Amino acid sequence: MIISDYLSKKLKFFSLFLTVLVVFIHTYKEHVVFGIFPQGDPIAYLMFYISAGICNIAVPLFFAISGFLFFKGNPVFTFNDYRTTVSKRIFTLLTPYLLVSLISIILHFIAGLTEESRNLFLEGREVHLGIADFFKTWFVQPWAYHLWFIRNLMILCILTPVIYFLTKKLGYFFIVPLFFVWLVSSSILPAFSTSFVFFSIGAFLSIKEVNFPVNKKIIYPILGIPLWLILI
């Protein structure tokens, strides 16, 4: 699918809106909220519903946008396309991921040098890492926990040939069952399943060049609001 100037502007605006929602997600800290408001207070519940409920739609939609953009302009996804795109992601995703993850480890060790800094930054915890744990923390489970999004996105980029093949061959018979299986069992599926499902949805919309010819002022609220409520 070729992205028009109009669609590009819409995606940028939508991404900005989702970024604001992500900020709301990370501003909610239960121990802080209930330290100010008693448990059961309507204001505390409203803050929880907004930050831990409504705003949670942001992360899945970011994966959907990523899947959509990955296949933009590639009606036929060849091995050369895959190699070129993944090579670019090494510089835009993998390199920053490894660098920030390593810096996080170094900062944790620095913070653990004295008792005062441990109490201030690490809640008194001491920092110990064996060789195996070091590489696991650096590559797979970074202490800079927000890097999980980039980690999952890099894995999804590697899996794009599988996603493309299933989308091309099965179409709706792939994406619709995938979504409904996730919908009814997301609480017991691995966390990566959300990343995979919504990245695949975005890829499907791009590969199949899906569009909605119905009046936009009507179709967006009709489809968007119920979907939002379902995903809360």
Side-chain angles (χ1 to χ4, degrees), residues 2-231:
I2 303 299
I3 297 182
S4 64
D5 184 60
Y6 171 80
L7 181 56
S8 177
K9 290 179 180 177
K10 288 292 183 181
L11 286 174
K12 288 178 181 178
F13 175 80
F14 194 50
S15 297
L16 176 62
F17 172 68
L18 295 179
T19 301
V20 173
L21 296 187
V22 170
V23 172
F24 272 99
I25 292 173
H26 289 286
T27 54
Y28 180 82
K29 299 294 181 183
E30 188 171 316
H31 67 280
V32 175
V33 171
F34 290 119
I36 301 174
F37 302 99
Q39 195 158 0
D41 187 279
I43 296 178
Y45 177 77
L46 179 63
M47 294 172 68
F48 172 80
Y49 185 73
I50 292 174
S51 296
I54 293 174
C55 294
N56 271 341
I57 189 65
V59 175
L61 289 183
F62 265 127
F63 278 112
I65 291 174
S66 298
F68 181 85
L69 293 177
F70 189 95
F71 290 100
K72 67 178 176 64
N74 285 324
V76 178
F77 190 62
T78 65
F79 176 75
N80 284 336
D81 294 326
Y82 174 71
R83 183 178 58 185
T84 300
T85 308
V86 170
S87 296
K88 291 179 180 178
R89 296 303 190 274
I90 290 175
F91 293 100
T92 59
L93 292 179
L94 183 60
T95 302
Y97 172 86
L98 294 177
L99 179 61
V100 174
S101 182
L102 181 60
I103 291 173
S104 174
I105 294 174
I106 293 172
L107 290 177
H108 271 76
F109 273 104
I110 293 174
L113 290 177
T114 66
E115 184 178 353
E116 291 78 8
S117 59
R118 285 197 300 271
N119 292 333
L120 182 61
F121 297 108
L122 304 176
E123 299 178 343
R125 292 179 286 107
E126 294 186 358
V127 180
H128 297 290
L129 274 182
I131 297 297
D133 288 335
F134 171 80
F135 284 104
K136 181 180 179 180
T137 302
W138 187 16
F139 288 99
V140 182
Q141 294 179 337
W143 280 340
Y145 66 92
H146 51 282
L147 292 176
W148 72 268
F149 183 91
I150 299 178
R151 178 199 63 205
N152 286 10
L153 198 55
M154 191 66 199
I155 295 172
L156 288 165
C157 290
I158 295 171
L159 293 176
T160 47
V162 177
I163 295 172
Y164 178 80
F165 175 81
L166 292 173
T167 300
K168 269 292 188 181
K169 294 298 182 182
L170 300 178
Y172 285 101
F173 292 102
F174 163 61
I175 209 66
V176 173
L178 181 69
F179 176 73
F180 278 102
V181 167
W182 173 85
L183 191 62
V184 299
S185 56
S186 59
S187 59
I188 61 174
L189 291 173
F192 181 75
S193 64
T194 300
S195 310
F196 180 81
V197 169
F198 282 87
F199 186 91
S200 298
I201 290 173
F204 172 84
L205 295 175
S206 185
I207 293 168
K208 293 296 186 179
E209 299 185 305
V210 176
N211 57 67
F212 301 98
V214 186
N215 190 318
K216 298 174 186 177
K217 294 181 180 179
I218 299 175
I219 195 66
Y220 289 166
I222 289 177
L223 293 179
I225 294 175
L227 178 61
W228 193 334
L229 295 176
I230 287 172
L231 295 175

